[in-house]
Amino acid sequence: MIKVGEYEIREANEDNIWEAVKINEKTLPEHYTFEFYLEVYRNFPEGFLIAWLDGNAVGYIMNRIERGLSHFGFSIVKQGHVVSIAVLPEHRRKGLGTALLQTAIERMKNRGCQEVYLEVRVTNEEAIRVYEKLNFVKVRTIEYYYSDGEDAYVMARKL
Ligand code: ACO
Ligand code: ZN
C-alpha cells in the first residue's frame, strides 16, 4: 500500500477490478469489455493499481508487459504498455496520476522491462504534461488512432 496524502494506492484483485471499469466509464471515451480488464490484470497483476479515499475508488492504472520493437532502436525489447490511467475529476491535481504511473513504472522495472510506452490523444494536454514530467517523450504520431478520428502520440521512455 502506498500513501499519497489521504489517498491509498493498492494492487487490484479480481473482485475489485470493476471499480476501475466504473472510473473508466466516467472519465474516458475508450471503454473495454470486462474480459479485457481481467486479461490485463492477469498479465501483470502487480501493475494493476487502484487509488482509494475512505473506501471509495478514485483512480486506476492498468498496464501490460509485452515484447516488441524498441521505441529507441531496432531491437526487440521487453516493455511495459500503459493501457489506461484515469483519476476522477474531483481528485485530480493532487499527485495521484503521477504516483500511479511512478508506482507502475517501478514494478515494470522489477519485471525486467527496458522501456515503457503509451498512446495519448494529441489534445490531451493534462495527461501529456504528467507523462513529460516523468520523462516520457513523443516518439511518433498515429493518425486516426481513436474511433472519432483523433490522432495519438506514442510516448515512451527508457527504464
Ligand atoms: N497540488 C497542486 N497541483 C498538483 C499537486 C498538488 N499537490 N500535485 C500534482 N499537481 C499537479 C501536477 O504538477 C500537474 O500539474 P501541471 O499540469 O500544471 O503540471 C497536475 O497536477 C496533474 O498531476 P497529477 O495530480 O499527478 O495527476 P492527476 O491525478 O490529476 O491525473 C490524469 C492525471 C490521470 C491524466 C487525469 O487528468 C485524468 O484522469 N484525465 C482523464 C483521463 C485521461 O485522460 N487519462 C489518460 C489517457 S491516455 C492513457 O490512458 C495512456
Ligand atoms: Zn495502448
Side-chain angles (χ1 to χ4, degrees):
M1 195 264 282
I2 293 140
K3 273 282 212 185
V4 182
E6 298 293 296
Y7 298 92
E8 294 177 351
I9 294 177
R10 298 173 184 275
E11 276 174 33
N13 58 59
E14 294 199 4
D15 296 323
N16 64 19
I17 285 174
W18 57 272
E19 297 280 6
V21 180
K22 286 198 299 185
I23 295 168
N24 169 270
E25 282 175 0
K26 286 185 200 157
T27 54
L28 278 166
E30 289 73 46
H31 305 315
Y32 317 97
T33 63
F34 187 75
E35 287 65 35
F36 179 78
Y37 287 87
L38 206 54
E39 181 194 308
V40 172
Y41 172 77
R42 288 177 177 165
N43 168 275
F44 182 27
E46 71 272 29
F48 200 131
L49 306 171
I50 299 180
W52 301 86
L53 179 66
D54 301 331
N56 298 306
V58 301
Y60 73 91
I61 187 168
M62 60 177 186
N63 313 271
R64 236 172 5 208
I65 306 287
E66 301 171 354
R67 286 190 77 81
L69 190 60
S70 169
H71 292 90
F72 301 99
F74 294 97
S75 53
I76 300 293
V77 293
K78 190 166 175 182
Q79 51 196 351
H81 176 178
V82 181
V83 176
S84 184
I85 176 173
V87 172
L88 291 178
E90 57 272 35
H91 302 284
R92 287 181 194 160
R93 316 210 78 204
K94 294 181 160 68
L96 266 185
T98 302
L100 285 165
L101 189 53
Q102 259 170 342
T103 308
I105 286 172
E106 278 307 310
R107 290 166 176 211
M108 290 170 188
K109 273 194 214 166
N110 293 341
R111 277 280 207 112
C113 291
Q114 292 149 277
E115 300 177 4
V116 52
Y117 79 97
L118 54 83
E119 301 91 12
V120 59
R121 286 178 181 266
V122 295
T123 57
N124 193 347
E125 290 170 13
E126 186 103 44
I128 291 170
R129 227 172 9 238
V130 170
Y131 304 146
E132 284 179 338
K133 277 195 184 169
L134 290 181
N135 300 316
F136 282 75
V137 293
K138 295 168 185 161
V139 290
R140 66 191 179 97
T141 304
I142 309 177
E143 290 190 348
Y144 308 110
Y145 181 76
Y146 296 97
S147 56
D148 59 4
E150 189 168 345
D151 299 348
Y153 288 128
V154 178
M155 296 185 73
R157 145 186 173 178
K158 289 187 188 176
L159 297 180

